[in-house]
Amino acid sequence: MSKIKSQSKLDSDSEMNEIFTRIDHEVNTDNVDMYIQEGLQLFNSSLSKEQLRKGMGSSFRKLKYIVEKYGVNDAQMNVLMDLVFSNKLAPTHAQKVVDICLPRGSLRSKDVIRIFRYLNLRDKDISTTTTTTTKRKKKALADQELPHQLVIYLLKWITALYDFIDYPQDITRLYGVLFLYIDIKKLRPYLCHLLYYMTNRPHVKTFRANQLLDLYEKVGPEPELISLLRVYKTYRQDIVLPITPPVKTKKTVFMNPMPELKVKLINIRNLWENKNHLSSMDMTISSDYKPPIPLMSKRRKITGSQHIEIPPIDTTTLEQYSSTIGDIRDVNQLAQKLDKLALPDQMASVLDNRLLQHMIACDPRESAVIRLSHWLSHSLNNLLKERNQSISYKNSLKELLQKCITMARLTKAHVPTIETFLENYISKWNGWEFEDEIFELLTFIRPRSFEEINQIYLKPLYRLYYLSNIQWKSKLILCYTEWLKNWALLDWKRHSERRQKGSDTEMDELIWLFQGLDFNTDYFQTIQHFIYHVDRLSVIGLIMEDDHPLLQHASLSFFEFVSSISIHHDIPEIIIPAAPLIYRSFFSISGMAVSRLCGIIYQYKRAFEENDRKIDDWVTRHSTDYLNNFNTHVMDVCSALWRNSAFTRSNEEELPFSLSPHITQVYNNLCESRGESANLVLSLTHSASLTGFSERFLQEKENEANVKIRHEGPVTAQSLKQLSDDGGISISFMDYRVGLLDDLKKKGFHGVYNLLYDCMSSLIERKKEHSNDDNDMEI
């Protein structure tokens, strides 16, 4: 007999698989509603119990197969929900119907609320109380109630799909009603789960906390009850949690009770979203996601290192009309309630909350800064005491440093404890541990006298610089660039005015968050010596690393910022790099380095001209020798690139590129031995960094003209004339170089283009002529 049944089951499964295959071919999003409507003819509340029972075989399996793929619309959802509540199905069959209640859009809150009406049906099986109603009333109620296991299953269904409810605030309004039924034993785990999703600060009342504690005393340490108490504790620190026995398992409460149902619903939503049958509003999922809660496990003795936990943003002590950070939803609300905002119990929670960081940046209360500093000091000291090579120590310290960086990116300053930590840490740093974090933390160090900055930070870092590889050297120069950028953001003009007016205090509290700056310190001198230090460091690095492009990029990036600091940041200081950095970059075989250097010189020229146009006292005063020194650099570069006179000067006292006459003569002799002109080797058409671009530009010109006679070698005025005489392209040397400059600009070499067009009189006149021609055409 068992064999016959098994064979019958196999035949049935085979038949259903064929049906499912046919469904896959026939059903699509355009006609699915017709098939579902046909299936629902056999499953609706108007049918008798017997008719429904007979349909719970292959017919239901076909309907389930379709619905699990396509879901149901609102009208079909109504039919299924009516069937569940009709009490005409056995509990197990009703649960199967609940499983296919999969809406294509959001889960309607009214369907959820409809379920809650059955929570008040208490009897001796599911309630701790005893009913006193008459037998007649009991019979009337019995016709309306749902089986207990079905009510529980519906609560699990709500919990599984809670994130998809269209208006969760409608459910939250029933918080007090649901809380009343938490003493029902069989419902308690699922009600606690729902209350966990719904609980916010306004729901945490003293009487509810006391009720939960009383219930705990009565029923013992149920995981769901304990976890809900812990949620209450996050909003009210004054709640004293009962001592619970440690658990050895890794069980997690408030997990999704039907994860497979949630997956099916997501797949359905994705299907219809791709078909554009639902609007984005219909497809929204609740953003108030709350993760499962791990149970408190038995505490283990910490060996080796510690894990730092950032405290929650709890505020238990409130004055009348005060607000907490938990009540604030965005920056606009923060701005409106800033003066009424109560500080959290643990200021360290600022490290994990962006709104709190905005608050402390706008209103750096001394008490808040002190509390945060104490927590950071304690945490950093504990980690450093446990300092070892274990992964856990490194991860904990790295995580804490990254949180400090996140906050510093907003505030542009460190709380005092972080600067104290860096002072001690840099002196013992090996250079590679937490490399990225330390470099970024350094960029937010406040200005001080150069003697202090140099002794505390620059000297230890210089020692590491000397021993480190190219990448590390480049990172340090880029770190110094960002450091100087953060200093440049300050309002130095107002600081200077406050300093001149005098003050009752020695500190300017307005210019630097948390600590202020000393009125007695000359910070422009600090900036000046800081730039000189990076200048020397760059040259040393370029010598050590044979002008590696990474180090060239870092060094030039620093001076690209320095050259524009007086224009873009209103700092009256124009500090040019020393000759070695300028000439090493210009002699480079990299077009990147040459063009960016030209761009830097162009920026300095603009800065000097802008400074000369200023009429107030907020200007820089430079000696004639300083300006002549800069003009010499301009003349050296422009003469070499455009005038083809790199080593020719009208005045014998002038030294091209600051080279001695002996070295210049050696260089001339070397060029003559190779049949080349020393004055041309650094020109726009001959220099090692640009000659390749010159040759390609000429080849493109020849290809456009479709000539057979081609130019060979570097371009000169004589070679172009000869090329024209031989039947090649005809173009003057001036026009060729102008076209080459335009081509270089298109390729991104803006520095060469801008400098030459700003300094060379022939190019300036040519630009004016073209401008006049354009104006005439417009007229």
Side-chain angles (χ1 to χ4, degrees):
M1 179 65 72
S2 62
K3 290 183 179 179
I4 294 175
K5 286 184 177 180
S6 298
Q7 185 62 45
S8 176
K9 185 177 185 305
L10 287 173
D11 292 341
S12 177
D13 289 343
S14 177
E15 291 174 2
M16 290 308 301
N17 288 334
E18 292 178 5
I19 293 174
F20 293 158
T21 302
R22 189 167 67 250
I23 289 173
D24 288 336
H25 284 90
E26 295 177 358
V27 181
N28 54 54
T29 53
D30 295 326
N31 61 15
V32 64
D33 286 334
M34 179 183 70
Y35 282 89
I36 294 177
Q37 204 62 36
E38 181 181 333
L40 290 179
Q41 296 298 321
L42 302 175
F43 299 99
N44 60 76
S45 58
S46 65
L47 300 176
S48 66
K49 291 183 179 181
E50 184 62 24
Q51 289 174 313
L52 291 170
R53 185 184 63 80
K54 289 180 179 180
M56 291 303 297
S58 59
S59 298
F60 182 79
R61 291 178 67 185
K62 286 189 288 185
L63 178 64
K64 179 182 179 185
Y65 185 79
I66 296 174
V67 171
E68 285 184 341
K69 182 176 180 180
Y70 293 96
V72 293
N73 59 32
D74 289 348
Q76 295 158 0
M77 186 73 169
N78 290 337
V79 173
L80 292 175
M81 294 299 288
D82 288 343
L83 180 58
V84 170
F85 295 129
S86 68
N87 239 338
K88 293 183 178 180
L89 292 174
T92 53
H93 289 167
Q95 290 175 17
K96 290 181 180 180
V97 176
V98 172
D99 286 339
I100 64 171
C101 289
L102 299 170
R104 294 170 190 167
S106 298
L107 176 59
R108 295 176 300 181
S109 58
K110 68 176 185 178
D111 290 332
V112 176
I113 295 172
R114 193 175 174 187
I115 295 171
F116 293 154
R117 61 173 291 197
Y118 296 97
L119 295 181
N120 63 348
L121 300 178
R122 307 184 181 207
D123 60 26
K124 61 183 179 182
D125 293 326
I126 64 169
S127 174
T128 56
T129 62
T130 307
T131 181
T132 58
T133 59
T134 64
K135 292 181 179 181
R136 188 169 51 186
K137 288 184 178 180
K138 278 187 177 182
K139 188 176 185 306
L141 284 174
D143 294 333
Q144 300 176 16
E145 69 176 10
L146 293 180
H148 307 150
Q149 58 267 46
L150 180 56
V151 174
I152 292 172
Y153 199 81
L154 285 167
L155 288 176
K156 292 169 67 175
W157 178 77
I158 295 172
T159 306
L161 304 184
Y162 190 87
D163 292 334
F164 299 92
I165 297 175
D166 56 356
Y167 297 110
Q169 62 270 24
D170 292 345
I171 312 300
T172 305
R173 292 192 186 101
L174 298 174
Y175 189 96
V177 176
L178 296 178
F179 196 89
L180 291 174
Y181 301 103
I182 203 170
D183 63 328
I184 304 176
K185 182 177 181 180
K186 290 186 178 181
L187 299 184
R188 187 157 49 245
Y190 312 103
L191 289 175
C192 284
H193 197 161
L194 281 174
L195 292 172
Y196 162 64
Y197 283 147
M198 299 161 64
T199 300
N200 283 309
R201 178 175 297 278
H203 303 119
V204 181
K205 306 294 184 183
T206 302
F207 73 90
R208 287 184 183 142
N210 291 336
Q211 188 174 341
L212 290 176
L213 291 170
D214 292 341
L215 189 59
Y216 173 85
E217 293 295 330
K218 181 179 179 180
V219 302
E222 294 179 355
E224 293 79 12
L225 185 58
I226 295 170
S227 299
L228 185 58
L229 275 167
R230 287 172 59 193
V231 173
Y232 270 52
K233 175 73 173 177
T234 62
Y235 292 103
R236 291 281 301 270
Q237 290 294 309
D238 57 333
I239 297 175
V240 180
L241 293 180
I243 300 175
T244 58
V247 294
K248 296 181 180 180
T249 66
K250 295 183 178 180
K251 180 183 176 183
T252 301
V253 294
F254 300 153
M255 294 283 288
N256 191 322
M258 297 177 176
E260 71 287 346
L261 214 59
K262 187 172 183 178
V263 172
K264 290 176 185 176
L265 193 57
I266 290 174
N267 292 335
I268 291 169
R269 292 160 66 88
N270 290 337
L271 172 67
W272 287 95
E273 186 177 26
N274 293 336
K275 293 295 181 180
N276 295 321
H277 284 190
L278 290 178
S279 68
S280 58
M281 181 175 293
D282 293 329
M283 300 303 292
T284 53
I285 298 178
S286 172
S287 59
D288 299 328
Y289 170 72
K290 293 189 177 181
I293 297 180
L295 286 178
M296 298 288 285
S297 58
K298 185 176 181 179
R299 293 189 178 182
R300 297 179 181 177
K301 183 178 180 181
I302 298 176
T303 57
S305 63
Q306 304 181 28
H307 174 68
I308 300 298
E309 291 188 3
I310 307 300
I313 52 167
D314 302 317
T315 307
T316 56
T317 305
L318 284 176
E319 297 180 1
Q320 192 175 13
Y321 307 119
S322 294
S323 300
T324 69
I325 198 66
D327 302 326
I328 307 297
R329 296 301 175 196
D330 53 39
V331 179
N332 291 329
Q333 284 190 359
L334 179 68
Q336 294 171 4
K337 300 182 179 182
L338 186 62
D339 57 336
K340 298 178 181 179
L341 199 61
L343 295 176
D345 297 337
Q346 296 284 338
M347 271 310 300
S349 58
V350 70
L351 297 174
D352 257 352
N353 189 284
R354 200 62 169 174
L355 284 175
L356 267 178
Q357 293 170 11
H358 279 287
M359 183 206 77
I360 203 168
C362 298
D363 184 16
R365 308 173 197 180
E366 185 178 0
S367 61
V369 176
I370 291 174
R371 287 165 57 193
L372 177 58
S373 296
H374 284 167
W375 187 92
L376 281 171
S377 177
H378 176 76
S379 300
L380 289 168
N381 286 334
N382 283 347
L383 284 171
L384 293 177
K385 284 177 184 178
E386 299 288 342
R387 190 171 184 176
N388 52 54
Q389 298 304 313
S390 69
I391 295 177
S392 56
Y393 150 73
K394 291 180 180 179
N395 289 342
S396 297
L397 184 52
K398 184 173 184 175
E399 182 182 356
L400 183 57
L401 294 179
Q402 287 173 343
K403 290 183 184 299
C404 293
I405 288 171
T406 301
M407 178 174 169
R409 286 172 183 165
L410 174 68
T411 60
K412 299 299 180 185
H414 289 308
V415 292
T417 294
I418 298 299
E419 291 205 8
T420 303
F421 162 76
L422 287 172
E423 289 178 14
N424 297 325
Y425 191 80
I426 288 295
S427 63
K428 304 169 186 176
W429 187 34
N430 55 24
W432 55 265
E433 198 172 37
F434 313 113
E435 179 181 318
D436 293 337
E437 287 75 23
I438 295 299
F439 277 145
E440 188 163 1
L441 285 169
L442 284 171
T443 64
F444 299 107
I445 295 292
R446 68 189 174 100
R448 298 159 79 167
S449 69
F450 181 76
E451 290 73 17
E452 290 180 280
I453 294 285
N454 187 45
Q455 191 66 35
I456 296 170
Y457 302 108
L458 303 187
K459 281 186 176 180
L461 291 171
Y462 173 75
R463 290 192 288 268
L464 292 171
Y465 180 86
Y466 195 84
L467 300 171
S468 300
N469 59 21
I470 297 168
Q471 288 79 9
W472 199 96
K473 288 184 175 72
S474 301
K475 283 184 178 181
L476 181 64
I477 300 295
L478 292 174
C479 164
Y480 286 159
T481 305
E482 295 302 316
W483 195 349
L484 186 60
K485 283 181 180 179
N486 284 329
W487 286 357
L489 293 174
L490 304 181
D491 191 345
W492 291 109
K493 188 172 184 179
R494 295 287 180 86
H495 170 73
S496 178
E497 291 172 355
R498 288 191 291 270
R499 182 184 182 188
Q500 292 173 2
K501 289 180 180 178
S503 173
D504 296 335
T505 64
E506 295 183 352
M507 301 295 291
D508 184 354
E509 303 291 348
L510 300 179
I511 192 170
W512 191 265
L513 198 63
F514 303 133
Q515 299 184 73
L517 297 184
D518 193 340
F519 279 125
N520 298 320
T521 299
D522 186 350
Y523 293 105
F524 288 158
Q525 188 180 61
T526 298
I527 292 174
Q528 183 181 31
H529 285 289
F530 184 84
I531 293 172
Y532 289 156
H533 175 81
V534 179
D535 187 359
R536 290 191 296 270
L537 211 60
S538 299
V539 173
I540 292 171
L542 291 171
I543 294 172
M544 292 176 66
E545 304 297 346
D546 296 326
D547 299 301
H548 193 282
L550 272 179
L551 208 52
Q552 284 181 333
H553 163 70
S555 303
L556 293 170
S557 295
F558 180 81
F559 278 99
E560 280 172 340
F561 175 72
V562 173
S563 62
S564 62
I565 199 171
S566 65
I567 298 176
H568 297 154
H569 295 278
D570 199 27
I571 293 178
E573 292 295 330
I574 305 176
I575 304 167
I576 62 175
L581 180 65
I582 294 176
Y583 295 139
R584 286 194 75 90
S585 300
F586 185 66
F587 293 155
S588 171
I589 61 173
S590 167
M592 174 274 294
V594 173
S595 182
R596 290 176 69 180
L597 173 73
C598 291
I600 289 169
I601 295 175
Y602 168 72
Q603 281 287 97
Y604 274 117
K605 183 174 181 296
R606 284 187 57 214
F608 280 117
E609 291 170 350
E610 185 74 21
N611 186 71
D612 290 342
R613 284 193 288 268
K614 291 180 179 178
I615 58 175
D616 55 11
D617 293 333
W618 195 245
V619 295
T620 183
R621 312 286 184 187
H622 290 118
S623 64
T624 303
D625 291 340
Y626 191 82
L627 293 173
N628 289 339
N629 182 40
F630 172 72
N631 289 330
T632 299
H633 299 326
V634 176
M635 183 176 66
D636 286 341
V637 171
C638 291
S639 296
L641 285 173
W642 190 255
R643 291 175 176 167
N644 298 338
S645 56
F647 295 96
T648 300
R649 296 291 182 272
S650 57
N651 187 345
E652 294 183 357
E653 294 182 358
E654 295 178 357
L655 301 178
F657 303 106
S658 300
L659 299 175
S660 67
H662 171 69
I663 294 177
T664 302
Q665 188 58 47
V666 171
Y667 188 71
N668 283 327
N669 294 339
L670 178 62
C671 291
E672 288 178 5
S673 67
R674 299 175 59 180
E676 297 176 357
S677 169
N679 283 323
L680 286 175
V681 293
L682 294 175
S683 69
L684 196 64
T685 56
H686 286 64
S687 75
S689 61
L690 298 175
T691 186
F693 297 101
S694 174
E695 291 180 9
R696 279 195 291 274
F697 173 69
L698 184 57
Q699 289 171 5
E700 291 172 0
K701 285 286 186 184
E702 290 173 334
N703 292 337
E704 291 174 5
N706 196 24
V707 294
K708 294 182 179 179
I709 305 300
R710 300 292 177 123
H711 187 280
E712 294 182 0
V715 178
T716 62
Q718 293 77 13
S719 67
L720 286 178
K721 185 177 183 303
Q722 185 64 45
L723 180 65
S724 178
D725 294 341
D726 293 341
I729 63 170
S730 179
I731 185 172
S732 69
F733 188 54
M734 180 66 174
D735 289 341
Y736 172 78
R737 291 189 298 167
V738 169
L740 176 58
L741 277 178
D742 292 336
D743 186 63
L744 288 173
K745 183 183 179 183
K746 291 178 183 177
K747 288 181 167 62
F749 294 90
H750 299 281
V752 174
Y753 181 93
N754 291 336
L755 178 64
L756 292 180
Y757 265 94
D758 198 63
C759 295
M760 296 293 97
S761 56
S762 59
L763 290 173
I764 294 172
E765 289 298 323
R766 191 182 183 93
K767 195 172 184 179
K768 286 181 180 178
E769 290 175 4
H770 280 288
S771 177
N772 292 334
D773 290 342
D774 292 340
N775 291 334
D776 292 340
M777 290 178 64
E778 289 178 6
I779 293 172

